[in-house]
Amino acid sequence: MNPARIAIVGTGVIGKTHIEATKTCDEATLFGIVEPGPNGAAIAQANDCTLFTDLDALIAARPDAVVVATPNATHVPIGVQLIEAGIPVLIEKPLAETAEAGARLVAASEKTGVPGLTGHHRRHNPIIRAAKSVIASERFGQLVMGTVTASLRKDDAYFDVAWHGEKGNGGPILINLIHEVDLLRHFFGEVAQVHAVVSNKARGLEVEDTAAIVLRFASGGLVTVAISDAAVGPWCWDINAGENPGRFPKHDVISSMFAGSEGGVSLPDLSFWRHGGEKSWYEKLQHEVLPTDGEDAYVSQIRNLARVARGTEAPLTSLREGYEDMRVLEAVTRSAETECRWICKARGGRGEAGCRPSRWLTQLGEKRPPLGGRFASLVVCGLPRKPRTRGVRCQTSPKRPPGGREGAARRLVASGPASPTRSAWAQSSLPWVGAFRPLVVCALS
């Protein structure tokens, strides 16, 4: 069988990685590149491939598949154009700037039947494959709890790029957390609830430098994630897995621990622990290191793309998987902004899929009023004294009302109109907790 002819759009750092992986993979051949920059001709010559002037010229040449490794804002228009032309794609992570934008890629793929991959290469890593195998087995059981740490202290020069320090563009949540979210969903399934807090104390930039996130999965298991681009320490996949030896040093420590009902595993060392007899903290656990073999994660990803293009294999990480990752990431961001827990509903369940604020009225023992639409999600959360989050309006008072926060919520329900608009908000006095932050009843759009 002839190798799949794969083209690369964009030849930045990650684009060059895909070029090398394509040249290494025995089931693929480098068909060409699209690079409008001044170095395009030299890169094409160095890799003995064709330089296409633009995407239309590449499509006209009919490659078997295309890797899109361009800036995030261009992923959707380039990806949709390729899919509508009938060419399978691998879109680098994150899939798009927003989940809403990513949904366009998913819709185009599902409408045309042209497959696509999201470039979460870690799923292809032999370490992750071995971990996934044991987590899915009876030896691990059901997830009970887990911890992921990512202390990736970035140098000061990194923030010379202005958008790296801007809210809505930079920060470890948007830039780095997407990797952890994808792997956690890969291991444990859909996320049911998100609660996040952030700090920018270490660097003092507009964007967060540190975040702590609690994820509750649909299975009931809990995982905490601590991530920072200002914290010094070797506890991060990037610098302890040895995945990118040309970019990062390797430290022989762990950064993730997952405990199941039958056994536990840590990464990236693949240590597996379980009891030989009775499961008790009085009994010493047995230890083994899980075996692993396989090729470089990026080469394996290109192999998957080549087989997808030939129709002999399904994407390991589909476009829909990338979209679901974006939904969880946005819930994390919104939770950090509003300091509310966010509830996520997977596609296929009752009601519309998506993530929304928690604290349903039914949890307060009240019948949900006919508020309708998104305004049915009245919540009780803590926010700053002067909340500036877009889409949130709250009325607060230092006087503690009768019945506490539940009483305030009930009065809000009783006084609320049948069809509220953005101008219909709580008018009740609401309770304070401590001296710093009020608990407020909010309606979020």
Side-chain angles (χ1 to χ4, degrees), residues 147-219:
T147 298
V148 177
T149 302
S151 52
L152 34 93
R153 210 295 180 181
K154 298 178 181 177
D155 57 283
D156 294 340
Y158 176 87
F159 297 94
D160 290 342
V161 179
W163 67 265
H164 284 173
E166 295 174 355
K167 194 169 184 178
N169 291 311
I173 289 180
L174 290 181
I175 295 177
N176 304 104
L177 186 64
I178 190 73
H179 295 284
E180 315 306 336
V181 166
D182 182 69
L183 283 187
L184 290 171
R185 289 186 56 255
H186 181 52
F187 288 153
F188 306 118
E190 297 305 329
V191 174
Q193 189 178 102
V194 171
H195 192 186
V197 292
V198 300
S199 172
N200 65 348
K201 181 69 173 179
R203 292 191 183 277
L205 299 175
E206 176 187 353
V207 73
E208 86 283 343
D209 51 57
T210 306
I213 303 106
V214 178
L215 304 174
R216 182 174 66 81
F217 290 82
S219 64

Side-chain angles (χ1 to χ4, degrees), residues 419-436:
S419 300
T421 64
R422 288 182 181 271
S423 61
W425 308 104
Q427 300 299 320
S428 305
S429 297
L430 300 172
W432 287 77
V433 171
F436 302 101

Side-chain angles (χ1 to χ4, degrees), residues 4-8 22 27-32 63-67 302 305-306:
R5 300 169 303 147
I6 295 177
I8 314 296
T22 302
E27 294 188 34
T29 185
L30 183 61
F31 182 69
D64 295 320
V66 173
V67 176
I302 290 295
L305 176 62

